[in-house]
Amino acid sequence: MLRLFFVFFLSSIALFQLQAQSDYEKDMKAALSEWDFRNSNLDYENLANEFYEIYKANKNQWLPKYYSMLMQTLAANEKDAKEAIEISNRLEKEYLELEKLNPDQDEILVLRGMFRTLKVAKDPETYRMTLSSGVLWDFNEALKINPNNPRATYLSAYFNMQSAPFWETDPKRYCSSMVEAKELFAKENKPELEPQWGEFQVEEILKSVCN
């Protein structure tokens, strides 16, 4: 009788875990599908909150935390310098939490490079000389971990393109890296919920800068 009780108890736990996993995947897929139709600051902020709610219900999962931080970064792009830098500083603190969730290290380094870029873009006089090397370190370190990461390849090239006028160099010198990123996107094959974004942005850069 006791054995039957333990069998029933363990079966109940397994069913509960399967249901929780099913709900998590359903919620993540729904939030990611909304991303395709949102492109305003408010949209990104709402999505950041949506992903954070998923994270609060699944604190052992790194992806909802990652996407919440990514959406905050995208929303900050159109904000004024003061607010964007405040968001970047807040994301630095959130990054410490993200690191503890056993994430894909290359993807979170790309994310950190992105939200640190906010400071360089919004206040170049203060941050270009002090932070640019740190941004590129994040992207390059991501490529050391995963040389086939198209987001690291694309964002490293794009950061250099944006910095080219300051260094009096030709942005087109980085077009070969952007072409490489396009090729890596074509080969990328990752699980549905994991980061796969960036291909559209690469196509737009190739058209506007490298044509």
Side-chain angles (χ1 to χ4, degrees):
M1 189 71 181
L2 185 61
R3 183 180 177 186
L4 285 173
F5 169 78
F6 278 114
V7 169
F8 175 77
F9 178 70
L10 292 172
S11 298
S12 298
I13 291 175
L15 285 171
F16 176 78
Q17 290 174 334
L18 284 172
Q19 181 60 44
Q21 183 69 12
S22 175
D23 289 343
Y24 163 73
E25 290 181 357
K26 180 181 68 175
D27 291 343
M28 285 292 292
K29 287 177 183 177
L32 286 169
S33 68
E34 289 181 41
W35 185 8
D36 292 334
F37 304 101
R38 299 189 178 194
N39 54 21
S40 72
N41 283 357
L42 182 59
D43 288 338
Y44 290 137
E45 288 169 358
N46 288 338
L47 266 179
N49 293 333
E50 193 170 332
F51 280 116
Y52 187 70
E53 288 301 314
I54 299 172
Y55 167 67
K56 286 199 300 184
N58 302 272
K59 289 205 168 181
N60 62 326
Q61 300 284 355
W62 71 276
L63 284 168
K65 179 74 170 173
Y66 164 89
Y67 283 116
S68 176
M69 294 173 65
L70 177 61
M71 294 303 125
Q72 291 178 67
T73 303
L74 295 176
N77 278 322
E78 300 302 321
K79 295 185 180 294
D80 63 40
K82 182 175 182 295
E83 191 170 359
I85 291 168
E86 287 174 355
I87 291 171
S88 181
N89 289 336
R90 184 176 71 237
L91 290 172
E92 288 280 1
K93 296 176 182 177
E94 290 192 36
Y95 185 86
L96 299 177
E97 299 173 17
L98 181 61
E99 281 188 304
K100 298 175 184 177
L101 298 174
N102 194 29
D104 289 351
Q105 288 296 323
D106 58 314
E107 294 294 357
I108 69 167
L109 281 165
V110 169
L111 175 62
R112 187 169 71 176
M114 284 183 68
F115 66 69
R116 286 179 168 177
T117 298
L118 287 170
K119 290 184 175 182
V120 180
K122 296 294 183 178
D123 188 356
E125 290 188 9
T126 302
Y127 294 106
R128 181 187 287 121
M129 298 301 294
T130 59
L131 198 53
S132 290
S133 60
V135 170
L136 289 172
W137 186 92
D138 284 339
F139 297 144
N140 291 333
E141 195 67 15
L143 287 169
K144 287 181 185 177
I145 296 169
N146 179 10
N148 296 318
N149 187 316
R151 281 159 295 283
T153 303
Y154 133 58
L155 286 166
S156 177
Y158 187 60
F159 186 86
N160 283 319
M161 282 180 170
Q162 295 295 96
S163 302
F166 175 78
W167 301 112
E168 297 183 352
T169 57
D170 185 356
K172 290 190 176 183
R173 67 185 295 185
Y174 303 104
C175 287
S176 60
S177 295
M178 207 60 75
V179 171
E180 181 186 356
K182 180 180 178 179
E183 292 169 353
L184 289 173
F185 274 116
K187 297 174 185 175
E188 188 171 52
N189 183 20
K190 298 180 73 174
E192 185 177 6
L193 300 181
E194 294 189 8
Q196 300 175 50
W197 56 269
E199 187 170 10
F200 172 79
Q201 289 82 356
V202 168
E203 293 284 359
E204 290 301 303
I205 293 166
L206 287 170
K207 290 176 186 176
S208 61
V209 179
C210 302
N211 57 2

